[in-house]
Amino acid sequence: EYRSSWRGLATANTLPSAFPALDTFADRHIGPESREVSHMLKELGYNSMDAFVAATVPPKIRVASEAVSNESIPPLSESELHRRARDLANANKPFKSYIGMGYHNAVVPPVVLRNVMESPAWYTPYTPYQPEIAQGRLESLVNFQTMVMSLTSMDIANASLLDEATAAAEGMVMAFVSSNQKKRTFLVDSSVLPQTLSVLQTRAKGFGIQLVVGDVFESLGDEALLSDLCGVLVQYPDVNGSIKDYSNLAHIIHNNAGGLLIVATDLLALTMLKPPGEWGADIVLGNSARFGVPAGYGGPHGAFFACTDKLKRKMPGRLIGRSKDAQGKPAYRLALQTREQHIRREKATSNICTSQALLANMAAMYAVYHGPTGLKRIAQKVHALTQFLRSSVEIYGYKAVNKEFFDTVTFDVSGAIKDAEAVHSQARAARINLREIDAKHVGVTLDESVSAEDVVAIVNVFAAAANSSADLADVSSTDSLSISPALQRTSKFLPHPVFNTHHSETEMLRYIYHLQSKDLGLVHAMIPLGSCTMKLNSTSSMIPLTWPEFGNVHPFAPIDQVQGYLAMIKELEDDLCKITGFHACSVQPNSGAAGEYAGLSVIRAYHESRGEGHRDICLIPVSAHGTNPASAVMAGLKVVPVKSLGDGSLDLEDLKAKAEKHKDNLAAFMITYPSTFGVFEEGVQDACKIIHDNGGQVYLDGANLNAQIGLTNPATCGGDVCHMNLHKTFAIPHGGGGPGVGPICVAEHLEPFLPSHPVVALGGEESINAVSAAQFGSASILLISWAYIKMLGGNGLSAASKVALLNANYMAHRLSGHYNLRFKNRNGRVAHELLIDLADFDKAAGLKVTDFAKRLQDYGFHPPTCSWPISTCMLIEPTESESLEEIDRFCDAMIQIRQEAEDIITGKQPKDNNVLKNAPHPISVITLSEQEWNRSYSRQAAAFPAPWLQERKFWPTVSRVDDAYGDMNLICDCPSVEEMAHGSA
Amino acid sequence: EYRSSWRGLATANTLPSAFPALDTFADRHIGPESREVSHMLKELGYNSMDAFVAATVPPKIRVASEAVSNESIPPLSESELHRRARDLANANKPFKSYIGMGYHNAVVPPVVLRNVMESPAWYTPYTPYQPEIAQGRLESLVNFQTMVMSLTSMDIANASLLDEATAAAEGMVMAFVSSNQKKRTFLVDSSVLPQTLSVLQTRAKGFGIQLVVGDVFESLGDEALLSDLCGVLVQYPDVNGSIKDYSNLAHIIHNNAGGLLIVATDLLALTMLKPPGEWGADIVLGNSARFGVPAGYGGPHGAFFACTDKLKRKMPGRLIGRSKDAQGKPAYRLALQTREQHIRREKATSNICTSQALLANMAAMYAVYHGPTGLKRIAQKVHALTQFLRSSVEIYGYKAVNKEFFDTVTFDVSGAIKDAEAVHSQARAARINLREIDAKHVGVTLDESVSAEDVVAIVNVFAAAANSSADLADVSSTDSLSISPALQRTSKFLPHPVFNTHHSETEMLRYIYHLQSKDLGLVHAMIPLGSCTMKLNSTSSMIPLTWPEFGNVHPFAPIDQVQGYLAMIKELEDDLCKITGFHACSVQPNSGAAGEYAGLSVIRAYHESRGEGHRDICLIPVSAHGTNPASAVMAGLKVVPVKSLGDGSLDLEDLKAKAEKHKDNLAAFMITYPSTFGVFEEGVQDACKIIHDNGGQVYLDGANLNAQIGLTNPATCGGDVCHMNLHKTFAIPHGGGGPGVGPICVAEHLEPFLPSHPVVALGGEESINAVSAAQFGSASILLISWAYIKMLGGNGLSAASKVALLNANYMAHRLSGHYNLRFKNRNGRVAHELLIDLADFDKAAGLKVTDFAKRLQDYGFHPPTCSWPISTCMLIEPTESESLEEIDRFCDAMIQIRQEAEDIITGKQPKDNNVLKNAPHPISVITLSEQEWNRSYSRQAAAFPAPWLQERKFWPTVSRVDDAYGDMNLICDCPSVEEMAHGSA
Ligand SMILES: Cc1ncc(COP(=O)(O)O)c(C=O)c1O
Ligand SMILES: Cc1ncc(COP(=O)(O)O)c(C=O)c1O
Ligand SMILES: O=C([O-])O
């Protein structure tokens, strides 16, 4: 009896197979049990899953079931996966790294580690598009913004970008745009991080920006350069640890040359250094990871980005602002949403969508916990240890190249030894990594995790290399700072109450729990956001992530120390190739949009390699996600939109006409499959053929890959390259708005062009430059998708896709008759999501999509994707992880709201003051006095319209948030001491 | 600047001390920052902490500050502790154990591991004395009870006991009590677990029960024995794996002999075996740990205990029942509280107080997640693998002694080899532990974690010992069960909806979060329960607990495999001795009450060793905790109460008179210090001298040790033995009602009598028998207290005690004038808690302690300890972990409630229908319609009486629970399918 999987899905592949493992993951990941699957099939009129799938997925694009099967991807049980992850962890060598170059060992406060990073309450929510059920992480992101603004002394900061290098690229493009795209020269100091430079090179190409790399002070003597200058990037402190005074540079740029001064910097250093905002920076950016986020072999980390007030409406990424709700109470929400690519499309100059919310939250919590005094103490200790190191190492004849530094010293070794390798070989013997600069120079960067004993061990390394035994400098060598007085910080930072209150673990824990209590995540209910695939983020796949063997790894650690990581990444890449039908993979892009940009850049490089670099037209359906046109523009392409037909399918005629019209310059076609309208288009292969016939390449946006696995694949559909959102299809949690990973898979002819990296050997001669700071992007979270794939195995993966289709179709079936299903295929089937059109309600009674969405909150659900890809629609995606019970509960809610709308349409309820227009109803509204409760419906009807809510109710914490007010009165930091005192927070 | 601890408490002791660690634990553990400490001192009129302490703790009992200092206990920073714990973990060898004997390798469902075991929402709440803010874990505990009832087929089950051995002892005493203490013979089958037998021996002694050990079937032939028989204990399956049919035994006992049939059993086996309830058992008990709780070197584990309906009101431990609230809605709560020792005191026959709530919840969640079908599949696989093992091993000439078995086979090796050691040495080489029975017999027990590969490895061991190479049996050897048809289970189990719903991880996660959302824990607010010391349970101290190197250790693993554990336990014992001033320590008792019993048993053994075994009088103050008299009775002592004086101090005259009166038979004096009235008695040393002068020993109940550390200690106060509640003073989380650890420390003359263990060498010739199943009790959670002590270090520990005193005194100061502080010392100081008397409110307006307590819930606080030790009082203990802000918030709430009471007294509000009498106010009440809201106060006044509640409110989920109704209509299982269908749940 135990030998067949009792919930009816995959079984594990153990030896002897007579005794299969019982902790099979498919049984836990997939929501409906087999009897529920049968029930849904029956409701839809099919007697088997196969028959259902045949009616749903066009036969001509189906792939053989061997492609993704238990033979090609054998499933591991949950405990087998755990053991395998343990083996990989043990294959990474835990050397201590002092390499620096933008990456540090972090000390994660245990209370934050366990209650934020490891907590599904924090990692499962989506980007806070629904502010009424997201005030917790909105507040935390505002803390992040405030922290960045205060430490950098800038007017405004966003809620994170993907990494420091891409943040620098965003800055460069802002500078270019600020010159009205007139000035094309961008000057980069030669001491910026090499990975930043590489990413700038990639990005400059698309925009036709001219990068000049050199000593900024010297370069500014060049008049020709000055006249075309849109901006300058410097690093403060720089890659070698030096701290230069750039105030004069700022003066020159602002008064003589014009253009923006962009400063890459380090938040911890800024507790001791004069902040760039005080000496003229226009944009300040960097990596916040040393505020309690593990190195994780390169990421994910929250980059920060701050600018002057003048530039604020050009700033990329998500910005959180304070507004007010329908009751006039303060409330946070995403500000300036009108700037996002959904609206701007090909006029956007940034494609940033998913960012690094979870990591930004961790960094913000770190600052909340330590407070200004704690941060300063940490910085002071790091600095003093660095001074002590410098003085001790100099005893042996090594010479510090930089006299002024914060945490990094570059030693000229030539006074002591012949070749730096002598130091490095001693270091390796001591299980230490130092920065390998060249034969004459060795770099050392310290951080919060470093103890005096660690420094003694480093000193020993240098001493041994010089055939000496350790001697230490006097501690008095640390008595005065190694920072010139003019560059020492004198201004206060983080005076806000939130950074000066939660300093005991008990207080911090309560603050974390208080914020999370306001946020709806997958721990509460379905989040049926179309195109976002909010599925289970399993504990088994999350557990290895916070093992130190994966967390404490520097991305530039020698290759023999990272064999566990490399094996895992190779397996993941191979599996993604099997799943997509492609030949090669790059996991470097750290979001879906970054994947789009990388894939299109690869296509451009391919055309160039064939002498067709002029190909610059990109066809994109009007229904495409806003990141598609934005990415195309960034890759230097011109966007030509393609129409859709009335049935939602691509207008092949229009496609053909435009492909032919542009055939000499056709670079690419971008398509999402199944389409963003939620149907499998029959003509996808025909469309791709049209493109290929006209010399173009096909980019497939894999956001909807969850509909495909084991049934079809992007290669079979006709694509040349696709990105995947590992944070959708492959179960990386959304983290409240990131992290994400957007790897690209490509056909064989495109492999030579996959991204390289300037520090770590990757790619070949024809490779494009880097698209992310780290060679494998957000490497540590690749573990999650790796585990997801390995645990489901081939059969489980395709079972998941089948159930995703089934759940969506069952939902469409239940809602039909109540709502207008906008598109379906000729058999009446949708794909893994469904689009319902609410336009009629607006016509009949002025009821908008938003009214339905906010009312769903009252029923305890996160609303589906609203007004995209069609403004009057909702796009609903249940995913395979939702059980029949949850899906029915959601349908019941939708149907009941339909009835509530009917009462408004028929005049039983007023058109303005009704349950939909007033939704959502927080407790503060429900408990209004009898006088204030001036409504034609009862409190019960407002808050408990469905029976299950009596037992299980998630409460919005504010009423409907006023976006326009917030955008007009943009306030993006947390309340100050004065505001708290006056109660205006 | 960074060199002095910025929050002003301890600094870490690193080398070189010029660069101290900054992650010092004291700064995080202690709530008030130094400026707040100064503020509180000033409010109290002291200009230094020393002056305050001098006025609070009697000078004559003060100890030198060296006793507990950074020299005697050097502090480790949080990261240093982590590294040290890692080293200890690595010192345990991860052999795989198949030893059985009541302990198994468990597979913890990852979703339960992370979201229950590792979640402060689950581990920080207290025992659910306040049902309105504890419905979540009450429901889960009812799931546990239901699971036990259903699997055992018994009428009723409690919500866990400490371990299987003590559960058996509780059963034995119930049998004895059921004979009206007339029949003194208790028969124990010789194949019960050896540790169970040892604990029975200890317990039998105190009650004067005669234990007879032998083959039960043979023994029942003995007429003399039968005539005095109160009960029989059998193990099913027994220690060797055999499954015997005891139905005839049940018949004989019930029809001929009289007495109770007690069965120790295994929940997993019961999915396949006919349950004891179906063949006549009166009591069924065992260990539930194999349901997803790690072995943890012996514990903590949740023992279960079930009995027939007839016996239910005699059942020890906590029982959760369903009742209804003031609105008539179903609600869970602790049932039959009137039976607890608080009420019964020396008439109680069990002292069980803290039990194993968290572990019971884990086991219940395991059953919810797997459901009946999943459990059965696990059992069937374990059984089939055991059959396969048996058949394979027999190939080499070994003979299975037991033909019928579930998961355990005992092999007679003599047909294959000379000495079992040949098998064991092969096993060790393969990193495997088998059960070492004797030279002829080897035992093997399998469990859920065992794979087919593991079995092959075991077979290899036996093969190699027989100089053979591995050959395997045919899988068909598993085709029919090795359980006699008569003993195969045919009845269904766990048909309840809750066990048949939450089987996907998403559903399970939501169920866990749904339950936890109903429970107030330390993650929400202060839990100022007097005598319970609800302080921070730090993440740093919790992290190592769930490392597999500590979790996957069998308590009877060979000594060389547990060196990490042994080192940690030794360090903890040494530190506890330093703290108490005593000479030796035993960590075996797994609760405070178990510590009392162990300590008193040690005292008795000491008297016996001196030929004074007749000493059996125990003096106990009337104010003592109910467990004290109960424990005394269990240790065979007669309780003589001692009076208190009007000022709360012990009546030394009365003590002297009684000590002298009983001097020939005086065994012990039990005293809590500071007293349960919350003051340091001046005369404690005099009291102890009186006892010693009259031949008695002094037992010090250490529940209040948090007031003492580094300031005084039990030895200095005059005690001979004390227990500590590690789950109070030493920061083991309460887990919602357990686990706990109650180690005892003793003076040198008592050391020889500390508990031994029947399986593992411990103690000496004069040792008492075991008091817990495992030699080190709940070994794994000792890590938490070890970490707590190591991280605080000596200075931090005494700083914590000082701030605990300060917080309580500041609170007393703020409440004075508003409430009647019952006792204080001559300087006006209380100890670490304060007792306020509400009797006047009852007189003036019929307002009871409960009304104040329930109203505090509306303010978001867990009420203090109510009606103990004085029925009209509240005992309030803030602990050192609460910040000044939180303490002020609590005082503000108390003062405002005082005002609400005043309005009732003065007639502004009615006496019956007011905010206190109607408290607490759940949302369901707040949202009543205008008609139903028939109250003279507003919804706002009900739910948001204080400003901070607008932003931060914890909601009770039911209104006041009706205890009497529940006790009259005792229902202790979860709703059945029928009830759910009829909505009567
Ligand atoms: C169809 C589609 N393409 C691209 C993206 C962008 O992915 P990311 O947010 O990871 O940048 C999204 C995001 O939701 C999407 O839905
Ligand atoms: C004074 C006192 N003694 C003993 C105990 C019993 O401890 P435990 O619950 O761990 O058995 C308690 C429990 O609250 C107590 O307050
Ligand atoms: O996140 C999206 O923009 O869909």
Side-chain angles (χ1 to χ4, degrees), chain A residues 530-541:
Chain A
S531 200
C532 298
T533 316
M534 298 296 290
K535 54 169 62 168
L536 171 71
N537 310 121
S538 76
T539 316
S540 292
S541 68

Side-chain angles (χ1 to χ4, degrees), chain B residues 126 353-354 531 591-593 596 625 627 672 701 703 723 725 727-728:
Chain B
Y126 198 70
C353 179
T354 287
S531 201
S591 74
E596 295 168 16
H625 193 260
T627 52
T672 304
D701 180 325
H723 82 263
N725 297 66
H727 47 302
K728 298 180 176 181

Side-chain angles (χ1 to χ4, degrees), chain A residues 7-10 24-34 36-37 40 49 536 788 792 795-804 806-807 879-884, chain B residues 503-507:
Chain A
R7 300 185 63 238
L9 297 153
T24 50
F25 179 62
D27 289 345
R28 301 306 190 180
H29 172 72
I30 298 178
E33 307 197 24
S34 51
E36 296 172 341
V37 166
M40 289 192 279
M49 182 64 102
L536 171 71
Y788 173 82
L792 277 183
N795 294 356
L797 285 164
S798 77
S801 278
K802 290 174 189 169
V803 176
L806 182 63
N807 277 354
T879 86
E880 70 277 12
S881 293
E882 294 302 334
S883 67
L884 177 59
Chain B
H503 295 165
S504 76
E505 183 169 334
T506 298
E507 286 291 335

